[in-house]
mmCIF file with all atom_site columns, all heavy atoms in Angstrom:
data_model
loop_
_atom_site.group_PDB
_atom_site.id
_atom_site.type_symbol
_atom_site.label_atom_id
_atom_site.label_alt_id
_atom_site.label_comp_id
_atom_site.label_asym_id
_atom_site.label_entity_id
_atom_site.label_seq_id
_atom_site.pdbx_PDB_ins_code
_atom_site.Cartn_x
_atom_site.Cartn_y
_atom_site.Cartn_z
_atom_site.occupancy
_atom_site.B_iso_or_equiv
_atom_site.pdbx_formal_charge
_atom_site.auth_seq_id
_atom_site.auth_comp_id
_atom_site.auth_asym_id
_atom_site.auth_atom_id
_atom_site.pdbx_PDB_model_num
ATOM 1  N N   . ILE A 1 48 ? -33.946 -0.112 39.549 1.00 94.00 ? 308 ILE A N   1
ATOM 2  C CA  . ILE A 1 48 ? -33.350 0.516  40.724 1.00 94.00 ? 308 ILE A CA  1
ATOM 3  C C   . ILE A 1 48 ? -34.112 1.792  41.044 1.00 94.00 ? 308 ILE A C   1
ATOM 4  O O   . ILE A 1 48 ? -34.844 2.327  40.213 1.00 94.00 ? 308 ILE A O   1
ATOM 5  C CB  . ILE A 1 48 ? -31.845 0.846  40.539 1.00 94.00 ? 308 ILE A CB  1
ATOM 6  C CG1 . ILE A 1 48 ? -31.646 1.921  39.467 1.00 94.00 ? 308 ILE A CG1 1
ATOM 7  C CG2 . ILE A 1 48 ? -31.037 -0.401 40.266 1.00 94.00 ? 308 ILE A CG2 1
ATOM 8  C CD1 . ILE A 1 48 ? -30.248 2.502  39.425 1.00 94.00 ? 308 ILE A CD1 1
ATOM 9  N N   . ARG A 1 49 ? -33.922 2.246  42.283 1.00 92.00 ? 309 ARG A N   1
ATOM 10 C CA  . ARG A 1 49 ? -34.444 3.541  42.711 1.00 92.00 ? 309 ARG A CA  1
ATOM 11 C C   . ARG A 1 49 ? -33.274 4.267  43.355 1.00 92.00 ? 309 ARG A C   1
ATOM 12 O O   . ARG A 1 49 ? -32.617 3.721  44.249 1.00 92.00 ? 309 ARG A O   1
ATOM 13 C CB  . ARG A 1 49 ? -35.582 3.360  43.708 1.00 92.00 ? 309 ARG A CB  1
ATOM 14 C CG  . ARG A 1 49 ? -36.089 4.656  44.277 1.00 92.00 ? 309 ARG A CG  1
ATOM 15 C CD  . ARG A 1 49 ? -37.349 4.523  45.092 1.00 92.00 ? 309 ARG A CD  1
ATOM 16 N NE  . ARG A 1 49 ? -37.281 3.512  46.137 1.00 92.00 ? 309 ARG A NE  1
ATOM 17 C CZ  . ARG A 1 49 ? -38.054 3.527  47.213 1.00 92.00 ? 309 ARG A CZ  1
ATOM 18 N NH1 . ARG A 1 49 ? -38.971 4.474  47.372 1.00 92.00 ? 309 ARG A NH1 1
ATOM 19 N NH2 . ARG A 1 49 ? -37.952 2.575  48.119 1.00 92.00 ? 309 ARG A NH2 1
ATOM 20 N N   . ILE A 1 50 ? -32.991 5.459  42.889 1.00 92.00 ? 310 ILE A N   1
ATOM 21 C CA  . ILE A 1 50 ? -31.862 6.227  43.405 1.00 92.00 ? 310 ILE A CA  1
ATOM 22 C C   . ILE A 1 50 ? -32.307 7.035  44.616 1.00 92.00 ? 310 ILE A C   1
ATOM 23 O O   . ILE A 1 50 ? -33.272 7.786  44.547 1.00 92.00 ? 310 ILE A O   1
ATOM 24 C CB  . ILE A 1 50 ? -31.284 7.168  42.330 1.00 92.00 ? 310 ILE A CB  1
ATOM 25 C CG1 . ILE A 1 50 ? -30.769 6.363  41.147 1.00 92.00 ? 310 ILE A CG1 1
ATOM 26 C CG2 . ILE A 1 50 ? -30.172 8.041  42.923 1.00 92.00 ? 310 ILE A CG2 1
ATOM 27 C CD1 . ILE A 1 50 ? -30.317 7.194  39.977 1.00 92.00 ? 310 ILE A CD1 1
ATOM 28 N N   . PHE A 1 51 ? -31.563 6.857  45.708 1.00 92.00 ? 311 PHE A N   1
ATOM 29 C CA  . PHE A 1 51 ? -31.800 7.659  46.913 1.00 92.00 ? 311 PHE A CA  1
ATOM 30 C C   . PHE A 1 51 ? -30.889 8.876  46.936 1.00 92.00 ? 311 PHE A C   1
ATOM 31 O O   . PHE A 1 51 ? -31.304 9.949  47.342 1.00 92.00 ? 311 PHE A O   1
ATOM 32 C CB  . PHE A 1 51 ? -31.579 6.837  48.173 1.00 92.00 ? 311 PHE A CB  1
ATOM 33 C CG  . PHE A 1 51 ? -32.641 5.792  48.403 1.00 92.00 ? 311 PHE A CG  1
ATOM 34 C CD1 . PHE A 1 51 ? -32.285 4.523  48.800 1.00 92.00 ? 311 PHE A CD1 1
ATOM 35 C CD2 . PHE A 1 51 ? -33.978 6.068  48.216 1.00 92.00 ? 311 PHE A CD2 1
ATOM 36 C CE1 . PHE A 1 51 ? -33.243 3.554  49.030 1.00 92.00 ? 311 PHE A CE1 1
ATOM 37 C CE2 . PHE A 1 51 ? -34.947 5.106  48.427 1.00 92.00 ? 311 PHE A CE2 1
ATOM 38 C CZ  . PHE A 1 51 ? -34.579 3.847  48.844 1.00 92.00 ? 311 PHE A CZ  1
ATOM 39 N N   . ASP A 1 52 ? -29.645 8.699  46.568 1.00 91.00 ? 312 ASP A N   1
ATOM 40 C CA  . ASP A 1 52 ? -28.687 9.800  46.580 1.00 91.00 ? 312 ASP A CA  1
ATOM 41 C C   . ASP A 1 52 ? -27.732 9.665  45.407 1.00 91.00 ? 312 ASP A C   1
ATOM 42 O O   . ASP A 1 52 ? -27.340 8.548  45.042 1.00 91.00 ? 312 ASP A O   1
ATOM 43 C CB  . ASP A 1 52 ? -27.848 9.800  47.868 1.00 91.00 ? 312 ASP A CB  1
ATOM 44 C CG  . ASP A 1 52 ? -28.599 10.349 49.054 1.00 91.00 ? 312 ASP A CG  1
ATOM 45 O OD1 . ASP A 1 52 ? -28.882 11.563 49.054 1.00 91.00 ? 312 ASP A OD1 1
ATOM 46 O OD2 . ASP A 1 52 ? -28.910 9.569  49.968 1.00 91.00 ? 312 ASP A OD2 1
ATOM 47 N N   . LEU A 1 53 ? -27.350 10.803 44.857 1.00 90.00 ? 313 LEU A N   1
ATOM 48 C CA  . LEU A 1 53 ? -26.317 10.863 43.839 1.00 90.00 ? 313 LEU A CA  1
ATOM 49 C C   . LEU A 1 53 ? -25.542 12.153 44.076 1.00 90.00 ? 313 LEU A C   1
ATOM 50 O O   . LEU A 1 53 ? -26.105 13.247 43.979 1.00 90.00 ? 313 LEU A O   1
ATOM 51 C CB  . LEU A 1 53 ? -26.911 10.851 42.428 1.00 90.00 ? 313 LEU A CB  1
ATOM 52 C CG  . LEU A 1 53 ? -25.909 10.902 41.285 1.00 90.00 ? 313 LEU A CG  1
ATOM 53 C CD1 . LEU A 1 53 ? -24.960 9.707  41.320 1.00 90.00 ? 313 LEU A CD1 1
ATOM 54 C CD2 . LEU A 1 53 ? -26.618 10.958 39.944 1.00 90.00 ? 313 LEU A CD2 1
ATOM 55 N N   . VAL A 1 54 ? -24.276 11.988 44.447 1.00 89.00 ? 314 VAL A N   1
ATOM 56 C CA  . VAL A 1 54 ? -23.427 13.123 44.777 1.00 89.00 ? 314 VAL A CA  1
ATOM 57 C C   . VAL A 1 54 ? -22.149 12.993 43.958 1.00 89.00 ? 314 VAL A C   1
ATOM 58 O O   . VAL A 1 54 ? -21.621 11.884 43.805 1.00 89.00 ? 314 VAL A O   1
ATOM 59 C CB  . VAL A 1 54 ? -23.074 13.128 46.288 1.00 89.00 ? 314 VAL A CB  1
ATOM 60 C CG1 . VAL A 1 54 ? -22.084 14.224 46.621 1.00 89.00 ? 314 VAL A CG1 1
ATOM 61 C CG2 . VAL A 1 54 ? -24.330 13.255 47.128 1.00 89.00 ? 314 VAL A CG2 1
ATOM 62 N N   . PHE A 1 55 ? -21.663 14.105 43.464 1.00 87.00 ? 315 PHE A N   1
ATOM 63 C CA  . PHE A 1 55 ? -20.393 14.117 42.747 1.00 87.00 ? 315 PHE A CA  1
ATOM 64 C C   . PHE A 1 55 ? -19.362 14.836 43.607 1.00 87.00 ? 315 PHE A C   1
ATOM 65 O O   . PHE A 1 55 ? -19.668 15.846 44.247 1.00 87.00 ? 315 PHE A O   1
ATOM 66 C CB  . PHE A 1 55 ? -20.538 14.799 41.386 1.00 87.00 ? 315 PHE A CB  1
ATOM 67 C CG  . PHE A 1 55 ? -21.396 14.011 40.440 1.00 87.00 ? 315 PHE A CG  1
ATOM 68 C CD1 . PHE A 1 55 ? -22.751 14.263 40.326 1.00 87.00 ? 315 PHE A CD1 1
ATOM 69 C CD2 . PHE A 1 55 ? -20.848 12.988 39.679 1.00 87.00 ? 315 PHE A CD2 1
ATOM 70 C CE1 . PHE A 1 55 ? -23.551 13.522 39.474 1.00 87.00 ? 315 PHE A CE1 1
ATOM 71 C CE2 . PHE A 1 55 ? -21.635 12.236 38.826 1.00 87.00 ? 315 PHE A CE2 1
ATOM 72 C CZ  . PHE A 1 55 ? -22.990 12.506 38.723 1.00 87.00 ? 315 PHE A CZ  1
ATOM 73 N N   . VAL A 1 56 ? -18.159 14.282 43.639 1.00 90.00 ? 316 VAL A N   1
ATOM 74 C CA  . VAL A 1 56 ? -17.079 14.852 44.445 1.00 90.00 ? 316 VAL A CA  1
ATOM 75 C C   . VAL A 1 56 ? -15.820 14.954 43.607 1.00 90.00 ? 316 VAL A C   1
ATOM 76 O O   . VAL A 1 56 ? -15.672 14.284 42.590 1.00 90.00 ? 316 VAL A O   1
ATOM 77 C CB  . VAL A 1 56 ? -16.798 14.009 45.711 1.00 90.00 ? 316 VAL A CB  1
ATOM 78 C CG1 . VAL A 1 56 ? -18.009 13.983 46.628 1.00 90.00 ? 316 VAL A CG1 1
ATOM 79 C CG2 . VAL A 1 56 ? -16.354 12.604 45.363 1.00 90.00 ? 316 VAL A CG2 1
ATOM 80 N N   . ARG A 1 57 ? -14.913 15.796 44.077 1.00 89.00 ? 317 ARG A N   1
ATOM 81 C CA  . ARG A 1 57 ? -13.611 15.969 43.430 1.00 89.00 ? 317 ARG A CA  1
ATOM 82 C C   . ARG A 1 57 ? -12.545 15.871 44.513 1.00 89.00 ? 317 ARG A C   1
ATOM 83 O O   . ARG A 1 57 ? -12.717 16.405 45.604 1.00 89.00 ? 317 ARG A O   1
ATOM 84 C CB  . ARG A 1 57 ? -13.535 17.340 42.765 1.00 89.00 ? 317 ARG A CB  1
ATOM 85 C CG  . ARG A 1 57 ? -12.185 17.661 42.166 1.00 89.00 ? 317 ARG A CG  1
ATOM 86 C CD  . ARG A 1 57 ? -12.183 18.990 41.420 1.00 89.00 ? 317 ARG A CD  1
ATOM 87 N NE  . ARG A 1 57 ? -13.018 18.853 40.243 1.00 89.00 ? 317 ARG A NE  1
ATOM 88 C CZ  . ARG A 1 57 ? -13.984 19.718 39.880 1.00 89.00 ? 317 ARG A CZ  1
ATOM 89 N NH1 . ARG A 1 57 ? -14.222 20.777 40.606 1.00 89.00 ? 317 ARG A NH1 1
ATOM 90 N NH2 . ARG A 1 57 ? -14.684 19.522 38.806 1.00 89.00 ? 317 ARG A NH2 1
#
Side-chain angles (χ1 to χ4, degrees):
I308 66 168
R309 175 171 52 157
I310 299 174
F311 289 136
D312 283 292
L313 180 60
V314 174
F315 292 94
V316 297
R317 175 176 292 131

